[in-house]
Structures are given as C-alpha cells and as structure tokens.
Amino acid sequence: MRAIKLAATYLIILSVFSCSTDKKETLLEDQPLVKTIEVTKFPVTIDLRSNLDSVHISNPLYKIRKMISTKDHLVFMNSEEPLFSVYDALTAKYVGNFGFAGKGPLDLEFDGINASSFKSYRDNFLITDMSRIRVLSIDQKKGSQLLTDNDVKVLKNAKKAADAGFFNNAFLANDNMIFTTDMFTKKHFVYIDLETGEQGDTIDFPDFHPEIPYTAYHHLYTSRTSPSLDKGRFVLAYGRFPVLRVYDLKKGSYTQINVKPENKQKTDIQADAQGKSIQGIGLFTYYENIVVSEKFIYAKYQEGSFERKVNGEYESLNHTGAEIHVFDWNGNPVKKLLLPDWVNPYTITQNDEFIYFFHPENENYLYRKSMKD
C-alpha cells in the first residue's frame, strides 16, 4: 500500500485528530504514554464453563464467521447466503436477514467481505469487501414483521482505491477516516481519507524487539482491534504478547496494559531470512479476539503455541484454558470470565446486559450470560 509524503501525513493527522483547528500539534505522531498498568490478577472471576443460559432461536444459524451487537440488534456474518442474519439483542428473537454475494453495484451486494473489519458503532456498523466500504444501519419500524431490504440503510458507500489492499482490521477513526493494517509498513496502521483518497501511515509499533526489522513488525505485533462505540478511542490486543493498548484519539495518547502470563514469551525471537516475517514455531500466543461495550473492553485470552513434533508434523497446543479479560476504558482490570472450550465467536450487548456465544454444533441455540452487576 502506497503512503504519501510525510508532510502530507502530518496535515491529514492534524486535521483529523486535533481537538480544535487552532491546535498546532499532530496528535498520535508522538504518542505520549499516559500510564502503564500491571495486571497480576483480576478483582472478580466468573466461571461460565457450565453456567450459561441457552436461548432457543426459531431460525437456525450456520457457519457463523463473526457476530456484533448494535444498540438494538445482534448481527451475524455468515459464510453463505444470506450473508447477514439479525436478531433482537435482548430477546434473541429472529428479526430477518440481508445481503447476497456479488460484485455490485447494488447496495446490499457484497464481494469477499472481510470479517476482521465488521465493527459496530452504536446504531451503525462497518462492512468492507473487495471493492467498497459501507456504513449501514437497521431502521426497522416498530410492530413490523421480518426485516426487509428497505429497513437496511446504507449511510456511507465509498469505493476502495485500486491499491488499497484488503482492509484487515479496519475501523472508522471518524466519519470520513478509516484505519486499516497492511504488511511491511513502518507503522501499525494505514489511514485513508474516504473523501480525498489520501493515505499514509500512523501509530507506532511497540519496540519490544527493536532488533527485528520493521518489515516483519506486521507479523511480530499481530493484533486484534476494536474502536469505542463513539469512535473516540480504540484498543489493540496483541497476539504474541500479553499486552493491550488503549488509544485516545482526542488526546493523542495511550495506556498500556501488561498482563502477567503463566508462560512468558521467549526472548530469542528471530526474523526469517528475508526479514518479512518471524519464525513463529514455539512462540507463545495470548490474545485472540476483542469486543467492546460503552463501558468495557472484553478481550479473549488463551495461552497457546504452534509446535513441531518429532515426526516433522506441526500441532497447535493450548497451555491454559480460554477466558475473557474485562477492562474499563481507562485500562483498569474489572473481571475475568472462564470460558467453555467451544466459545468462538462472541459479542457483548452495548449496555452490558448480556454476553452472547454461539456453539458451532448447536445451531438452534444462542448462549448468554448477564453481565450486569
């Protein structure tokens, strides 16, 4: 992905993230660290391994890729048509579906949707595919029957540039600016102005291993990303380090959360011969996914590794059970949820009323637990 000149980068970031037009600083360029929080334990542990409520659903789900929560709905991304199924967030009642495969130009026609960029923003949600970036909302009239295509509103429909890549981990930094990840970049994200098409790099990678060439940073610092529902902040949860970072887009700063693992990451990390990836065999993995509500961050965590067996074959090993770490938006640990092994995917209602799970072998049920204190 092509980056524009540094001077243009400063101008774009200034216009997007400054608190006022008079402010001369370029926020998120210097990224002052506000604080570091060391987490050795969580105040509360809740065991959900045999303590989930089941909710029968009238319209079964198959081959779920991802689930998100808007203010009123659960929206499931499916591997087959219909591409999206919609349920009521509180009752889990089936509402309807939308979306079909195709190269366009119809509003609800999608070509190669990227699940990592399926994100919600209160009433709205982001969908990116091979050719377009769309922001949608569900506006179903009260008392109406099943959802129709007319109830799914397209609020923004932008065509992707030919060199814009696949938009991995993309999210909206504001109404007209999108952040996404790419390989071999010097910084965490590529930003793209949806109105002008200008783009550049922003957000420094961590410097845990400065001996690794920057062309391998995308592999070393692989992460999951979720924006806050108001687009004012976002959180990164790292796969190869037990670390989260919470960025404030208005203040231009971040808080780093270091979680004490059972298995410390190996210190001797090597890049491959081309310097474009790292040798991952034997390295530990930590954070796997992340979702957010208005008040909290829910990060799925399980320590694992990818190992080579004596016979030359490879296997994926889990060294701890699966759990979700809950933090507030200031980075403080709130609670830890112990999970059944089958949990994936999951989502939280925006008001923390319920956390929802889908069992891949029980397509007629959703599983949930109230998160209200």
Side-chain angles (χ1 to χ4, degrees):
M1 188 175 288
R2 188 178 66 255
I4 61 177
K5 293 182 179 179
L6 189 60
T9 301
Y10 287 155
L11 290 173
I12 290 290
I13 294 179
L14 177 61
S15 65
V16 173
F17 298 116
S18 292
C19 297
S20 70
T21 55
D22 295 328
K23 192 167 184 179
K24 302 301 181 183
E25 298 175 357
T26 52
L27 299 182
L28 293 178
E29 277 300 306
D30 295 329
Q31 297 174 31
L33 176 64
V34 173
K35 61 182 177 181
T36 298
I37 297 176
E38 302 291 338
V39 178
T40 58
K41 64 179 181 179
F42 287 80
V44 176
T45 298
I46 301 175
D47 193 341
L48 299 182
R49 289 173 292 189
S50 58
N51 192 26
L52 291 174
D53 301 321
S54 61
V55 182
H56 184 267
I57 53 177
S58 58
N59 203 67
L61 290 161
Y62 302 99
K63 298 183 179 179
I64 302 304
R65 296 180 64 194
K66 190 173 181 180
M67 55 197 294
I68 63 169
S69 171
T70 66
K71 185 177 179 181
D72 298 315
H73 300 100
L74 303 174
V75 186
F76 294 80
M77 178 184 290
N78 307 317
S79 297
E80 300 174 353
E81 293 184 5
L83 297 178
F84 300 92
S85 301
V86 184
Y87 293 77
D88 185 273
L90 294 182
T91 66
K93 179 182 177 181
Y94 179 66
V95 174
N97 60 65
F98 68 92
F100 58 96
K103 297 184 181 298
L106 300 179
D107 283 345
L108 300 182
E109 191 173 10
F110 300 91
D111 178 24
I113 300 170
N114 191 321
S116 69
S117 302
F118 185 38
K119 309 273 174 64
S120 62
Y121 306 86
R122 294 191 173 131
D123 289 328
N124 308 330
F125 51 98
L126 174 71
I127 301 176
T128 69
D129 65 8
M130 296 297 291
S131 60
R132 288 184 285 174
I133 304 146
R134 275 165 279 190
V135 178
L136 300 94
S137 69
I138 296 172
D139 185 22
Q140 188 181 28
K141 295 180 177 61
K142 290 185 178 181
S144 62
Q145 299 300 313
L146 292 181
L147 188 74
T148 68
D149 286 353
N150 290 331
D151 298 322
V152 183
K153 308 298 183 182
V154 179
L155 307 179
K156 182 178 290 291
N157 190 343
K159 188 175 181 180
K160 287 171 59 177
D163 62 346
F166 194 50
F167 275 37
N168 288 312
N169 290 310
F171 65 94
L172 291 170
N174 65 25
D175 290 341
N176 296 308
M177 182 71 66
I178 198 166
F179 280 15
T180 182
T181 60
D182 201 3
M183 296 187 294
F184 318 130
T185 55
K186 288 186 176 181
K187 296 200 173 186
H188 242 309
F189 296 100
V190 174
Y191 67 81
I192 300 175
D193 188 310
L194 297 180
E195 292 188 337
T196 67
E198 292 187 275
Q199 60 188 56
D201 297 339
T202 189
I203 310 293
D204 289 333
F205 282 107
D207 58 354
F208 304 151
H209 287 271
E211 75 279 6
I212 300 295
Y214 81 84
T215 47
Y217 279 3
H218 71 281
H219 195 213
L220 176 62
Y221 299 116
T222 182
S223 60
R224 295 292 183 267
T225 311
S226 185
S228 62
L229 302 180
D230 64 357
K231 308 186 192 76
R233 292 170 289 189
F234 69 91
V235 56
L236 287 170
Y238 290 94
R240 300 189 194 277
F241 302 95
V243 174
L244 300 95
R245 284 184 171 182
V246 182
Y247 288 82
D248 190 314
L249 292 170
K250 295 179 180 179
K251 295 180 179 178
S253 58
Y254 69 90
T255 298
Q256 182 164 305
I257 308 166
N258 299 324
V259 176
K260 184 179 180 180
E262 291 188 23
N263 297 278
K264 289 185 177 181
Q265 185 58 278
K266 297 179 179 179
T267 57
D268 185 23
I269 296 179
Q270 302 289 330
D272 67 5
Q274 290 75 36
K276 293 185 177 181
S277 64
I278 61 168
Q279 299 176 14
I281 303 301
L283 297 183
F284 290 108
T285 55
Y286 301 95
Y287 283 104
E288 298 178 353
N289 200 0
I290 192 162
V291 299
V292 303
S293 67
E294 287 281 4
K295 294 182 178 180
F296 301 112
I297 296 162
Y298 294 75
K300 187 183 177 189
Y301 180 94
Q302 185 169 30
E303 295 179 25
S305 64
F306 193 59
E307 306 287 349
R308 183 174 182 175
K309 298 193 292 187
V310 176
N311 62 5
E313 296 180 354
Y314 296 92
E315 63 178 342
S316 180
L317 300 177
N318 292 325
H319 302 287
T320 66
E323 51 196 45
I324 288 176
H325 295 169
V326 184
F327 305 88
D328 65 25
W329 279 100
N330 292 320
N332 300 305
V334 176
K335 53 192 167 188
K336 177 169 63 176
L337 313 177
L338 306 182
L339 302 178
D341 292 337
W342 52 262
V343 165
N344 194 30
Y346 69 100
T347 195
I348 184 76
T349 56
Q350 294 184 3
N351 63 356
D352 299 287
E353 182 72 30
F354 293 107
I355 187 167
Y356 278 95
F357 306 98
F358 174 71
H359 196 304
E361 296 179 358
N362 294 336
E363 65 270 11
N364 290 301
Y365 288 88
L366 288 174
Y367 296 85
R368 70 184 187 183
K369 196 67 178 178
S370 176
M371 289 290 103
K372 290 291 187 180
D373 295 332

